[in-house]
Structures are given as C-alpha cells and as structure tokens.
Amino acid sequence: MREVIRLIDYVKGKLESIDTQYVVVDHHGLGYQLFCPNPYIYQHELHKDIQIFTHHYVREDQIRLFGFPTRKDRALFEKLLNVSGIGPKGALAICASGQPEHVVAAIEQEDEALLTRFPGVGKKTARQIILDLKGKLTDFAGDEIPSAEPTLFSPYVESQTDALDEAFEALRALGYVEKELKKVRPKLEEEKLEIDGYIKKALQLLLKR
C-alpha cells in the first residue's frame, strides 16, 4: 500500500480547552485547534500533556486539522472520507460512536439499517459505504476496542444538567436533530454521568433505534 505522507502526523502538548466540536492543544505557545469525533473523551486530560493523531483536511473553502486518540481511529476516518457522499462531518459522526468494530461489522454484513442511523447517511450513501469499503477494513476486524461504558459523574461541570446540555450540544454538532435527541433525553436524565458518558450513552441509544 502506498505510504501516506503527512505534513503533521500528531500534535503533542498541553490540552488548553475543550469545546463541543474541538480541543485546543498548546505546543510551545502555538495553539492547535483539532476537531474531534468526541472532544470530551479528553476531559480528564485538561491542562495535561497529551498526544493526538491528526488528519490535515484541505479544500478550497476549508482547512482543518482533525484529531484522533489512535492511528487506527484516524485510519477509519480517512477510509470513510474516501467514500463518495461522505464528508468530514459525516465521517466524524460515524467515528464518534466509539465502537468502530460495530461500524466495520455493519459494512461487512451489508447492514444498511444500522448505517442509516448516522446523521447524513441515507440509503444511497449507506450502499456506497458498503460498496467502497466491504472487504477493505480487515485491519480493524477483531481489534479489542476500549470499553465504551459511560463515565460516572464528577464535578467536571457545575451540575448534572450542565453535563447533559453540553453533551447534547456536541451531538447537535455531529448532525443529530432535535427530534432524535428528545427521544433519548428522558433515558439519559435517569443517569448521573459526565459529558463524555452522556455522549456515549446517547449514541448507544440512537444507534439502537
């Protein structure tokens, strides 16, 4: 396979801030804005040194750095970007599920129903994902994926309601609409989780519809 030449392979530095769509990492006084599938997976690393693997996305109307916790997360994002009809926002939404093995299984099993549950993925795009990627994701098969169990609530934000509201803002940024979010909110209100935990739990519920 042809080697990928990267301008920036990763960014290592102090995590300065977390937003619903991105994190900012300070590397020797230069702040890198990195758009992530779920920025809140880094919430316990705030003001600590971290390393994030990057994809440099360049188009006429957009230049962005996307960030991922592992090289394999980045590789899945890049494979999705190569599918006709999938842009960065759609690829991020799929990667945000935190369960790449389920995405790979859906592609290999031609499960269009699961794929269409992601924002912006209709039947045509789901079929295109399967046509383009089936049989090409063997590197991801059988991997041990870190547990996606929600994180219990701690005083990271002012209250449980604040954490849930922040999580919903992040889900909206991924493309989930109010109608979908309202259906899962009552279930989430029964939980006491951190922002990252709410996002993971919400995605589990959204993908089980």
Side-chain angles (χ1 to χ4, degrees), residues 18-69:
I18 303 173
D19 191 79
T20 54
Q21 297 184 62
Y22 59 82
V23 299
V24 175
V25 177
D26 182 325
H27 177 74
H28 296 302
L30 183 63
Y32 288 88
Q33 185 184 53
L34 306 171
F35 288 83
C36 306
N38 176 4
Y40 293 104
I41 64 171
Y42 302 107
Q43 63 191 44
H44 291 292
E45 307 303 319
L46 193 61
H47 305 310
K48 298 179 182 178
D49 287 336
I50 62 170
Q51 177 175 294
I52 299 180
F53 297 95
T54 60
H55 172 83
H56 192 199
Y57 183 81
V58 180
R59 293 294 183 272
E60 288 184 5
D61 59 342
Q62 188 180 95
I63 299 177
R64 283 187 174 180
L65 276 175
F66 292 93
F68 305 91

Side-chain angles (χ1 to χ4, degrees), residues 133-176:
L133 297 183
K134 184 178 180 180
K136 299 178 182 178
L137 299 173
T138 54
D139 289 346
F140 300 91
D143 280 357
E144 291 187 12
I145 306 301
S147 171
E149 287 300 311
T151 309
L152 294 177
F153 178 77
S154 73
Y156 175 71
V157 291
E158 292 182 4
S159 72
Q160 178 186 352
T161 302
D162 290 337
L164 185 54
D165 288 344
E166 284 287 323
F168 270 58
E169 283 301 314
L171 291 164
R172 291 185 189 100
L174 289 171
Y176 289 97

Side-chain angles (χ1 to χ4, degrees), residues 105-122:
I107 293 169
E108 294 302 317
Q109 296 165 16
E110 301 189 19
D111 187 351
E112 294 182 28
L114 188 148
L115 294 173
T116 55
R117 291 173 192 161
F118 292 105
V121 178

